[in-house]
Amino acid sequence: MGGQAVLARQGSMVLYQGKVDFGYKGAGFAGRIVGNATGQEMQLMRCTGRGQVFLAENGAHLHAIELQGDGICVSAESVLAFDESLQHEVRRIEGHGIPGGALFTMLFQGTGTVVVKTHGVPVVLPVTPTTFADSNAIVAWSAASQVIISSQVRLRRNAYPGHSGETVNLQFRGAPGNFIVVQPYEV
């Protein structure tokens, strides 16, 4: 940190060095982001000052994504921290079969860094006309990609009593240069 404010999940700081102040104040939406699938709120802390802040959450892999005036959508569940200077808004993708009825994502635009967390090493793939991703495995995608809900009925490996066997996929469409980020993990 070189004097620029960073917003991070409350409780994610594991160590810091230098003169860093932590506050629990707003991020444009009262310091809360609605969580993916569960509807829980993600509380944010504001880190300011000069020094180094080390963040972690449940042993997740962390990845810094540098934006240079472009935009990225990130599953709200996957956001760990971001530069306060980035424009950000919560978006809701609704669809039948999505746990909780919706997938909450954050759109980030501008110049700065977004830190995302994944279970395992993620894969970055270009968007093609036939790109589908499981709604539980998607981490992020380029903001210019169009997202369409696609439900398919099939038996899942981990089906449990009362489960319909229906899986919800997101179909991505977009011009060449668009991408998606998927983790090797499913809820």
Side-chain angles (χ1 to χ4, degrees), residues 127-144:
V127 170
T128 70
T130 57
T131 300
F132 294 84
D134 187 297
S135 62
N136 291 311
I138 192 75
V139 175
W141 60 90
S142 50

Side-chain angles (χ1 to χ4, degrees), residues 71-74 87-91 105-109 142-143:
I72 190 168
C73 292
V74 182
Q87 296 172 15
H88 53 276
E89 67 180 66
V90 176
R91 289 191 169 177
T105 65
M106 290 191 69
L107 169 63
F108 294 98
Q109 292 179 307
S142 50

Side-chain angles (χ1 to χ4, degrees), residues 21-32:
D21 292 317
F22 298 92
Y24 301 101
K25 120 177 212 191
F29 30 80
R32 297 183 304 267

Side-chain angles (χ1 to χ4, degrees), residues 13-169:
M13 188 277 297
V14 292
L15 176 131
Y16 74 93
Q17 296 177 318
K19 295 187 179 253
V20 180
D21 292 317
F22 298 92
Y24 301 101
K25 120 177 212 191
F29 30 80
R32 297 183 304 267
I33 297 172
V34 177
N36 185 10
T38 64
Q40 295 176 347
E41 295 176 341
M42 179 174 79
Q43 300 290 326
L44 297 175
M45 63 182 172
R46 187 169 188 257
C47 312
T48 56
R50 294 202 169 275
Q52 293 179 311
V53 177
F54 295 84
L55 305 173
E57 187 171 304
N58 297 327
H61 293 243
L62 303 182
H63 312 277
I65 300 172
E66 300 291 330
L67 297 179
Q68 301 294 324
D70 44 351
I72 190 168
C73 292
V74 182
S75 163
E77 184 69 23
S78 299
V79 175
L80 185 67
F82 55 95
D83 288 339
E84 187 177 45
S85 61
L86 286 171
Q87 296 172 15
H88 53 276
E89 67 180 66
V90 176
R91 289 191 169 177
R92 178 182 170 110
I93 299 173
E94 295 182 11
H96 175 71
I98 294 178
L103 173 67
F104 290 92
T105 65
M106 290 191 69
L107 169 63
F108 294 98
Q109 292 179 307
T111 301
T113 304
V114 179
V115 178
V116 299
K117 57 189 180 114
T118 65
H119 296 280
V121 178
V123 176
V124 180
L125 296 168
V127 170
T128 70
T130 57
T131 300
F132 294 84
D134 187 297
S135 62
N136 291 311
I138 192 75
V139 175
W141 60 90
S142 50
S145 296
Q146 179 187 10
V147 181
I148 300 165
I149 302 293
S150 171
S151 296
Q152 296 181 359
V153 177
R154 66 180 139 161
L155 231 64
R156 293 184 63 156
R157 271 190 323 249
N158 56 351
Y160 50 87
H163 186 268
S164 67
E166 182 178 40
T167 61
V168 177
N169 291 322

